[in-house]
Amino acid sequence: MPSSALTPSADIATLYADHHSWLRNWIASKLQHSGREVAEDLAHDTFVSLISSRNRAPEPDELLKPRAYLATVAKGVVVSWIRRQSLERAWLETLATLPEPQHPSPEHQHVIVETLAEIDAMLDTLKPRAKQAFLMATVDGMKQADIATALGISIPTVKSYMHKAYLLCLSQMPDD
């Protein structure tokens, strides 16, 4: 069947059939201590990402180097997974400091981790120093003058960063 006759899902299916095991092994080599199951999940997530971004991704039959493309997409998936693991570890460390009766239910814990991941992704749309200044103020409780000194920037710049971060947070709040 000529590639022009393939449907988008058939193109992805061909790409999957031709390169899935290579991608799984490539991911496993990058995450040596995480196990084959994680590599399998992340390879799967890479193809899900391709399917969900079909309007932006090149057609598989147009790819000159499909493995290089898959590796690029997989890097983003792996980085997201690593960040999520880091958030989950930080949450578990925080949870360990609370007395047992104050622990939220497992369902609520899942919601908390999901929310932290969404906030992290949202803050990543800021410039790195703006994100850092916002976190220094909101998480660490630092004053603007201390943030300015720590980052080697002016207080008006700190205020500008904070303003942008708060506007971003407000823009994500529901309208109800």
Side-chain angles (χ1 to χ4, degrees):
M1 173 187 296
S3 62
S4 61
L6 292 175
T7 64
S9 60
D11 284 343
I12 292 291
T14 301
L15 192 63
Y16 184 91
D18 292 348
H19 303 287
H20 175 263
S21 358
W22 171 84
L23 182 62
R24 182 192 60 235
N25 292 336
W26 183 85
I27 292 171
S29 74
K30 302 298 177 204
L31 301 174
Q32 298 167 351
H33 304 291
S34 297
R36 304 280 300 163
E37 300 82 20
V38 170
E40 183 67 39
D41 288 346
L42 295 177
H44 174 77
D45 290 351
T46 300
F47 283 98
V48 169
S49 177
L50 286 174
I51 291 167
S52 66
S53 67
R54 293 290 295 161
N55 56 346
R56 295 177 300 206
E59 292 300 321
D61 61 337
E62 296 173 358
L63 293 173
L64 299 175
K65 297 181 180 182
R67 288 184 176 181
Y69 180 71
L70 287 172
T72 299
V73 175
K75 283 177 190 172
V77 170
V78 168
V79 166
S80 294
W81 179 81
I82 290 169
R83 289 177 73 158
R84 182 173 179 93
Q85 294 300 304
S86 176
L87 283 170
E88 287 180 15
R89 272 192 306 279
W91 165 247
L92 291 174
E93 289 170 8
T94 301
L95 192 60
T97 65
L98 296 175
E100 188 77 30
Q102 291 182 353
H103 286 201
S105 68
E107 295 83 10
H108 195 131
Q109 289 183 41
H110 177 74
V111 170
I112 290 169
V113 171
E114 287 294 317
T115 303
L116 288 171
E118 288 174 13
I119 291 168
D120 184 53
M122 177 192 63
L123 292 176
D124 265 355
T125 65
L126 295 169
K127 292 179 182 177
R129 295 193 85 177
K131 178 180 177 179
Q132 187 177 8
F134 180 75
L135 291 174
M136 291 169 95
T138 57
V139 176
D140 300 331
M142 291 177 68
K143 302 215 178 289
Q144 291 180 359
D146 297 331
I147 295 168
T149 301
L151 296 179
I153 57 178
S154 67
I155 292 175
T157 301
V158 172
K159 289 181 182 209
S160 173
Y161 286 165
M162 296 301 295
H163 178 78
K164 288 175 185 170
Y166 280 121
L167 285 177
L168 179 62
C169 291
L170 288 171
S171 73
Q172 301 301 309
M173 291 179 66
D175 290 332
D176 48 78

